[in-house]
Amino acid sequence: MKSKSWLKAGLFAALATAAFAATPARAQGSLVMYCGVQEEWCRAMSNAFEKETGIKVAMTRKSAGEIYAQLKAEASNPRGDIWWGGTGDPHLQAAEEGLTLEYESPKNKELHSWALDQWKAAKHRSVGIYAGALGFGFNTEQIKAKGIPEPKCWADLLNPKLKDDVQVADPNSSGTAYNLLATVVQLMGEEKGFDYLKALHKNISQYTKSGAAPAKAASLGETAVGIVFIHDAVVFAVQGDPIKPVAPCEGTGYEIGSMSIVKGARNLENAKKFYDWALTPAAQALAAPAKSYQVPSNKAAPVPPQSPKMDQMKLINYDFVKYGSSAERNRLLAKWDKEVKALP
Ligand code: PLP
């Protein structure tokens, strides 16, 4: 990523609430929303939009890879109108495959350059709504009980004392886990990256469906380590659970959480209304109260004080165009299935 404009964190809280004095409208039709973030934030967004516009929202929460697969399966008879949230890579794949629609929001001019990089990469079929860095969270009590040093690096997760005590999601369903796969390949090179994932496999107790689930498991002590977006571990740390979020020492990847309009949307005008609204500071300010601490894409949206400080991390120059392409994503997922998941 060329721009790191999220450096200017936390200065804009006052602007965020102003535009959101809702005058509930009369019934204005409906909107089918496929939501890729945590359930609580999905509900906050659909309720607020419904209240403000009178448009009835039917929302379903799924992981990013699952929403992509659903759009593909429904392509000849689309059911969804808007895909809001989830990692940018599957949004890019959907854009390339013509499953989503070109749109230029009047709000684009208010966005950070990294959000518009996603819009350009998607040939205007997707836009960035938040950013977050990948890492892991470890349970402090479990690590202490094992008598090993606190893990700080990707390499530390290969410690044999962590056997069956690391969780991450399956990259086929989860955007988080695909982000890990693409990050490791970019950080270490493809051969060494796959060697790393094969070695890590020995310590994995289970590949979950949803990307954030390992953070909860680590906070409860059900696993010693959960590989997740760092903000997903922060959620449990701020409520006092014994989990420590880590930005790995070798460097790490990150996501541009994204939004796309479904091609063939039955409620197209409502989808555009939602899209424009979701890019406002007021809508983006709904994240933190719903315990979601990503960095928002509107420059005037408040950055939650709990947000991991991405400017203080060693971030790779994640190649979203390459790793969001249909060919590369399909190739890497097939290779991971064959060479990693199939291992005993
Ligand atoms: N939860 C949060 C808070 C996220 O930011 C993201 C990714 O955008 C996810 C979950 C991703 O979910 P999954 O990995 O299940 O696709």
Side-chain angles (χ1 to χ4, degrees):
M1 159 172 286
K2 290 173 211 103
S3 159
K4 288 191 187 163
S5 37
W6 50 58
L7 303 186
K8 301 166 196 120
L11 297 175
F12 308 105
L15 291 169
T17 42
F20 198 51
T23 27
R26 284 164 286 123
Q28 296 290 342
S30 57
L31 178 76
V32 179
M33 172 192 189
Y34 295 157
C35 187
V37 298
Q38 292 304 90
E39 182 87 28
E40 194 171 343
W41 190 14
C42 293
R43 261 186 279 116
M45 284 295 283
S46 59
N47 290 344
F49 182 70
E50 217 171 86
K51 196 163 161 205
E52 178 149 312
T53 61
I55 295 166
K56 192 102 195 82
V57 182
M59 183 277 286
T60 336
R61 194 277 153 187
K62 282 190 178 177
S63 287
E66 294 179 299
I67 298 179
Y68 158 76
Q70 185 171 358
L71 292 197
K72 205 169 163 77
E74 293 174 352
S76 61
N77 186 17
R79 301 270 163 193
D81 298 313
I82 190 98
W83 174 6
W84 181 81
T87 49
D89 313 279
H91 279 269
L92 287 176
Q93 181 170 11
E96 185 189 330
E97 294 176 8
L99 300 170
T100 48
L101 201 66
E102 290 175 24
Y103 182 58
E104 178 169 5
S105 170
K107 291 281 159 199
N108 272 11
K109 55 184 181 301
E110 298 178 23
L111 305 181
H112 285 294
S113 57
W114 48 263
L116 294 171
D117 288 344
Q118 172 76 359
W119 183 68
K120 288 171 202 151
K123 304 212 163 61
H124 308 171
R125 292 170 194 264
S126 186
V127 72
I129 51 178
Y130 57 81
L134 188 72
F136 53 84
F138 67 86
N139 184 291
T140 48
E141 292 163 2
Q142 299 261 333
I143 294 296
K144 209 182 211 169
K146 285 177 188 292
I148 56 174
E150 293 193 342
K152 292 185 167 49
C153 306
W154 292 117
D156 297 337
L157 304 189
L158 303 184
N159 188 330
K161 293 218 167 115
L162 288 172
K163 185 164 170 50
D164 290 335
D165 234 340
V166 179
Q167 280 186 25
V168 67
D170 184 314
N172 292 287
S173 60
S174 156
T176 308
Y178 178 75
N179 201 275
L180 171 70
L181 170 52
T183 289
V184 159
V185 165
Q186 291 173 81
L187 189 64
M188 305 175 191
E190 185 158 332
E191 201 180 326
K192 290 213 169 87
F194 267 84
D195 287 346
Y196 175 80
L197 293 169
K198 286 179 210 166
L200 181 67
H201 181 82
K202 296 193 180 117
N203 285 352
I204 299 286
S205 60
Q206 63 163 313
Y207 294 102
T208 60
K209 191 158 86 161
S210 136
K216 186 166 188 190
S219 76
L220 294 171
E222 291 169 6
T223 182
V225 179
I227 301 176
V228 288
F229 283 115
I230 301 170
H231 53 256
D232 283 331
V234 168
V235 173
F236 299 98
V238 298
Q239 70 185 34
D241 292 340
I243 182 172
K244 207 161 172 183
V246 178
C249 74
E250 299 94 335
T252 194
Y254 61 95
E255 62 162 336
I256 305 297
S258 298
M259 164 169 69
S260 309
I261 296 175
V262 178
K263 189 169 179 192
R266 296 173 192 195
N267 302 295
L268 181 57
E269 286 316 306
N270 288 348
K272 288 180 180 171
K273 266 188 205 150
F274 181 92
Y275 190 110
D276 295 342
W277 172 79
L279 295 177
T280 61
Q284 296 196 348
L286 296 171
K291 298 194 217 131
S292 291
Y293 303 124
Q294 291 89 335
V295 177
S297 67
N298 189 305
K299 290 184 205 165
V303 178
Q306 302 92 335
S307 287
K309 306 284 174 281
M310 291 178 68
D311 55 312
Q312 291 165 21
M313 294 172 198
K314 214 159 130 188
L315 293 181
I316 62 168
N317 192 12
Y318 197 113
D319 187 343
F320 292 103
V321 172
K322 177 171 178 189
Y323 292 93
S325 76
S326 192
E328 191 64 1
R329 199 165 168 278
N330 290 340
R331 184 184 74 80
L332 285 176
L333 287 172
K335 183 166 171 171
W336 183 84
D337 280 342
K338 189 161 160 247
E339 296 187 14
V340 181
K341 199 180 183 185
L343 292 172

